């Protein structure tokens, strides 16, 4: 069964407002007519401006994070309702930078997954091992735990709203990419974890994206692997031409 590929741009904490609008405008033009699934996640403060630009295009608006509570005295936090109000349809959860810099636990991430799904937001759930864990040979174990904890309580009929991004932490922003074979091996393993948790059908249908220094030079080979269903792109999502090239490989 062919899964439609999914390419998502995680802009992280980059650009100013004019740059964000220009990048979004460039992508609306360059991705016109392409037939995979595309998402961009600008910084919160530019969501409103970018939302106006991507409205009516084939680009989904995403957010890089979301708080777990609904509203109230939570200084600096952004709720699911605020995101939806701006046209956000998808939220990236469990990114390794959130796990590391903001001490987000699997439990908190799971609570956020439920909060998003229960309130009509789709989720890209990030998992991945540290370099020390890869060297220690526990990559699969780490990824299995993160999937099990991230998906805890998620029902099979909610799975069409959640994708997984396998992002080996040592490959993020470092220029070091997992080889296509290394990535494929983990993707196949993770798909099997989903089969164990749910069913063969769920495993066949879930999208598992690769992230970690994916760029216009290595995307074609990565995306050609049978269990790599797309990419979560950081650095290379900040340039119209690079991101477009990756999106075109995904549209083949
Ligand atoms: P990178 O980031 O492409 O810059 O490595 C990927 C990510 O963190 O999502």
């Amino acid at each position: 069964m062919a899964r439609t590929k999914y390419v998502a741009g995680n802009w992280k904490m980059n650009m100013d407002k004019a740059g964000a609008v220009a990048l979004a405008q460039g992508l609306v033009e360059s991705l016109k007519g392409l037939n995979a699934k595309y998402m961009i996640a600008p910084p919160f403060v530019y969501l409103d401006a970018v939302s106006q630009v991507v409205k009516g295009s084939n680009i989904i608006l995403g957010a890089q994070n979301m708080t777990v509570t609904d509203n109230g005295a939570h200084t600096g936090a952004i709720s699911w309702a605020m995101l939806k109000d701006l046209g956000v349809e998808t939220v990236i959860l469990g990114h390794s930078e959130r796990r590391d810099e903001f001490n987000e636990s699997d439990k908190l991430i799971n609570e956020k997954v439920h909060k998003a799904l229960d309130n009509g937001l789709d989720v890209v759930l990030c998992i991945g091992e540290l370099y020390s864990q890869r060297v220690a040979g526990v990559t699969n174990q780490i990824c299995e735990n993160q999937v099990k904890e991230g998906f805890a309580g998620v029902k099979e009929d909610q799975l069409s709203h959640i994708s997984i991004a396998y992002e080996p932490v040592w490959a993020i922003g470092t220029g070091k990419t997992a080889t296509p074979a290394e990535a494929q091996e983990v993707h196949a393993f993770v798909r099997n974890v989903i089969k164990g948790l749910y069913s063969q059908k769920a495993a066949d249908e879930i999208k598992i994206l690769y992230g970690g220094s994916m760029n216009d030079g290595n995307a074609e080979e990565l995306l050609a692997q049978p269990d790599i269903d797309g990419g979560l792109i950081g650095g290379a999502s900040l340039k119209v031409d690079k991101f477009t090239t990756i999106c075109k490989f995904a549209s083949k």
Side-chain angles (χ1 to χ4, degrees):
M1 194 212 64
R3 290 174 290 270
T4 305
K5 292 220 182 329
Y6 184 8
V7 182
N10 175 8
W11 295 3
K12 306 192 179 182
M13 196 175 74
N14 289 296
M15 284 179 306
D16 57 15
K17 185 176 171 184
V21 167
L23 177 54
Q25 281 168 340
L27 291 173
V28 166
E29 283 309 310
S30 67
L31 302 189
K32 232 177 231 170
L34 297 186
N35 57 8
K37 180 172 177 179
Y38 310 108
M39 182 267 268
I40 53 176
F44 285 133
V45 291
Y46 307 140
L47 279 172
D48 201 11
V50 170
S51 182
Q52 309 307 318
V53 176
V54 300
K55 202 177 282 176
S57 77
N58 60 348
I59 303 175
I60 294 164
L61 187 64
Q64 299 174 17
N65 181 37
M66 180 196 83
T67 201
V68 74
T69 41
D70 288 326
N71 54 32
H74 305 287
T75 302
I78 307 287
S79 73
W80 60 269
M82 293 169 177
L83 296 178
K84 286 187 77 172
D85 198 19
L86 298 185
V88 169
E89 293 178 58
T90 296
V91 61
I92 299 170
L93 295 175
H95 192 281
S96 63
E97 287 150 19
R98 300 291 319 174
R99 292 176 189 264
D100 177 38
E101 288 177 43
F102 301 91
N103 291 316
E104 292 199 8
S105 65
D106 282 312
K107 184 172 174 294
L108 175 68
I109 293 161
N110 176 251
E111 286 168 7
K112 290 187 182 190
V113 166
H114 283 284
K115 185 58 75 174
L117 295 177
D118 290 348
N119 290 290
L121 284 170
D122 288 353
V123 171
V124 176
L125 175 68
C126 303
I127 61 164
E129 83 287 2
L130 303 172
Y131 187 65
S132 57
Q133 294 166 330
R134 174 157 283 262
V135 171
V138 294
T139 296
N140 286 357
Q141 216 170 302
I142 296 294
C143 291
E144 179 168 5
N145 281 344
Q146 289 176 344
V147 168
K148 283 187 170 162
E149 302 211 19
F151 279 75
V154 174
K155 306 257 183 331
E156 184 155 354
D157 66 4
Q158 295 179 296
L159 292 184
S160 60
H161 297 285
I162 179 163
S163 304
I164 298 171
Y166 167 58
E167 302 204 300
V169 179
W170 48 273
I172 296 178
T174 57
K176 272 191 230 158
T177 325
T179 64
E182 281 170 335
Q184 164 59 25
E185 192 181 338
V186 180
H187 280 237
F189 174 80
V190 168
R191 196 174 301 287
N192 208 41
V193 171
I194 293 295
K195 180 179 164 188
L197 290 175
Y198 297 96
S199 65
Q200 182 68 56
K201 181 174 181 285
D204 287 342
E205 290 180 357
I206 198 154
K207 292 188 206 300
I208 308 177
L209 321 185
Y210 171 80
S213 298
M214 192 192 266
N215 58 42
D216 47 334
N218 58 26
E220 187 170 22
E221 215 188 331
L222 285 161
L223 292 172
Q225 303 303 309
D227 289 294
I228 300 185
D229 306 316
L232 179 56
I233 323 291
S237 73
L238 299 173
K239 292 272 184 284
V240 173
D241 55 346
K242 287 183 196 285
F243 193 67
T244 301
T245 300
I246 300 168
C247 290
K248 284 185 175 162
F249 288 137
S251 303
K252 279 185 184 171

